[in-house]
Amino acid sequence: MNVFVNFLLVIWASVSLQEVTSHGVQPLSVIHIEKTVIALDNDAYIKASPSVLGVNGNNKEWITLEYSRSVPSNDDWIGVFSPANFSSSTCLPENPRVSPPSLCTAPIKYQFANFSNPKYKSTGKGSLKLQLINQRSDFSFALFSGGVSSPKLVAVSNIIAFANPNAPLYPRLAQGKTWNEMTVTWTSGYGIDEAVPFVEWGPKGGEKMQSLAVTLTFDRNSMCGAPARTVGWRDPGFIHTGFLKELWPNLVYIYKLGHKLRNGSYIWSDIYQFKASPYPGQDSVQRVIIFGDMGKDEADGSNEYNNFQRGSLNTTKQLIDDLKNYDIVFHIGDICYANGYLSQWDQFTSQIEPIASRVPYMIASGNHESDWPGTGSFYENMDSGGECGVLAETMFYVPAENRAKFWYSTDYGMFRFCIADTEHDWREGSEQYNFIEQCLASVDRRKQPWLIFAAHRVLGYSSGVFYANEGSFAEPMGRDDLQTLWQKYKVDIAFYGHVHNYERTCPIYQNICTNKEKNYYKGSLNGTIHVVAGGGGASLSVFSTLKPNWSIFRDYDYGFVKLTAFDHSNLLFEYKRSRDGKVYDSFRISRDYRDILACAVDSCPRTTLASRRR
């Protein structure tokens, strides 16, 4: 018996270790920057070129580093710092009785000195190409010995900078609070005392107008803990949002971001375009992309030595290449995994700019955006690294009544989307539960037949190993109350992230498949199809060896979902892998309005003979 128990313990430990590994560790957090010792070496150097970036208006540039050290080691590494002055004078200690460390600012990225120089240990010389983006400040580069655990600063480079570090950058479109409103959010280095932010926009080929933008920012004290308010802190600049209203459905609009300086001159962004949303209920082809947990990656290979988010660039590339073939994106939580290292939000918004500047990029709140003890988080975990929702709420617009409560509804043509916030209480009687019911109940299914629920954590069904180990195959209490609403209001598909893989269930209610079909659903589903689409880019999560009867398709790979509504009666669902963009799972729904009206178990009010006679 003891042997059997020990065997189970070994299996459990192995599974648990796999889960920890699959979620990875924020690469910047492994650097013990607070332990840095200043040991400048006169024989060591590091030089960066060119000294001025973005002279042609580019906001993403490759630079070259040349470096040398007389006593080289394979543990030597190079940190990229911005602002260039990263000395202890730039921050204060958390505890006033404790002196600040020699260094108190983490790099925005790093790479080992021998990365592209296999002979570095023998020659002591190397070169490295890195990609930088415009982040509102200058840059310097530091050569360290001692590895990331016991860093010793041996050389600091010259300073380089973008020609205009304050430029308006990285526009993010999002649906407004009405169907005919689009919002555009961007980041700049211009405060409202320096320049007036606005959007110049109008129909393609038509007359242009200007709309003033609102401006937000925050300081270190807005963060809830370390590392966000210590080594991970970086000035976020200013975040501006313009509201483009009374749009004509499906019309293409041109826009550019502007800042009018106090001296009367103007600073302009590039020119972008988008297509306005269709009228709710409009009968036309409408295409939606859905995924979660993408994160960011570095094109130059820095930071990602432990494969933290190895699928992120592939997902981004597929979506950029296919821009003409979809209309709106939903990134359902775990946005960039900054985990308190604020520089990574700039990196992420730069990565998705070709997408988010062209189509609405709607987000949901995940644990890596919000969770922090004592801040109203449902779970009281520390997954946000001290951000406690501030970055997500500020960097992206969503049409919520209160962005600190990150739930909202939005309409896109024949679709109604009800987006929940799993980091806040969703159970019956809660404020969010009431919102979810109102969102589901208020849709006119004759006009908007395709009703979609989405949230970050799995409130429905997943056979990911950690949910299977809990025995619930979802968040504990996840579907206890909500399945009543899904069934009553006949939600077609519920989407989740959090588990970094892909899985699709049968139409299901109370753990029972309500339809035996797998690929072509004709008529009423009689239940809701639940989909985990958390393979956007962060390291993959393993499945349980047990595959429940309700699990129709599972894929341990990176990917995303595309929905295509051809009309009010026909919907195509496709799951595509990020590596090649090919379809690996699909199904169709074909039905009429009367099929939505038809009663299924617990979906219509109970009647009696007496009630029928009235």
Side-chain angles (χ1 to χ4, degrees), residues 87-98:
S87 70
S88 60
S89 62
T90 61
C91 72
L92 299 173
E94 275 274 280
N95 186 335
R97 292 174 293 180
V98 178

Side-chain angles (χ1 to χ4, degrees), residues 28 31 65 67 75-80 107 109-117 127-130 142-144 148 298 300-305:
L28 296 175
I31 303 175
L65 298 178
Y67 45 90
D75 287 335
D76 294 351
W77 59 279
I78 293 164
V80 182
K109 63 167 69 177
Y110 72 103
Q111 185 55 274
F112 285 93
N114 63 2
F115 175 69
S116 56
N117 306 275
S127 65
L128 186 63
K129 290 189 178 296
L130 295 176
L143 178 61
F144 293 87
V148 294
E298 296 287 348
D300 56 23
S302 60
N303 289 17
E304 308 304 323
Y305 70 97

Side-chain angles (χ1 to χ4, degrees), residues 379 426 457-464 466-468 470-480 486 496 499 550:
Y379 291 91
W426 63 83
R457 294 178 188 263
V458 180
L459 302 182
Y461 296 86
S462 165
S463 63
F466 59 99
Y467 280 142
E470 290 174 346
S472 59
F473 290 99
E475 290 292 330
M477 305 176 290
R479 59 181 176 269
D480 292 356
W486 298 328
Y496 315 99
V499 183
W550 41 257

Side-chain angles (χ1 to χ4, degrees), residues 58-61 109 131-136 162 169-172 185-187 272 294-299 312-313 316 320 335-336 343-357 361 395-396:
N58 296 328
N59 290 296
K60 185 181 293 184
E61 295 271 16
K109 63 167 69 177
Q131 188 180 68
L132 300 183
I133 65 166
N134 193 342
Q135 289 185 262
R136 303 172 306 284
F162 277 86
L169 297 171
Y170 318 131
R172 290 90 74 181
T185 299
W186 72 95
T187 308
Y272 304 91
M294 184 168 77
K296 56 158 284 290
D297 203 346
E298 296 287 348
S312 176
L313 291 180
T316 304
I320 292 173
I335 307 303
C336 71
S343 63
Q344 305 306 287
W345 284 91
D346 286 319
Q347 301 284 340
F348 177 78
T349 52
S350 172
Q351 179 174 312
I352 66 165
E353 179 189 22
I355 305 165
S357 63
Y361 197 98
M395 297 290 289
F396 285 84

Side-chain angles (χ1 to χ4, degrees), residues 30-69:
V30 303
I31 303 175
H32 294 275
I33 199 70
E34 72 284 356
K35 295 182 180 179
T36 301
V37 174
I38 307 298
L40 295 176
D41 182 351
N42 290 332
D43 294 328
Y45 68 83
I46 179 168
K47 299 176 182 178
S49 61
S51 59
V52 180
L53 308 176
V55 292
N56 296 319
N58 296 328
N59 290 296
K60 185 181 293 184
E61 295 271 16
W62 286 85
I63 59 102
T64 300
L65 298 178
E66 302 286 344
Y67 45 90
S68 175
R69 185 170 175 239

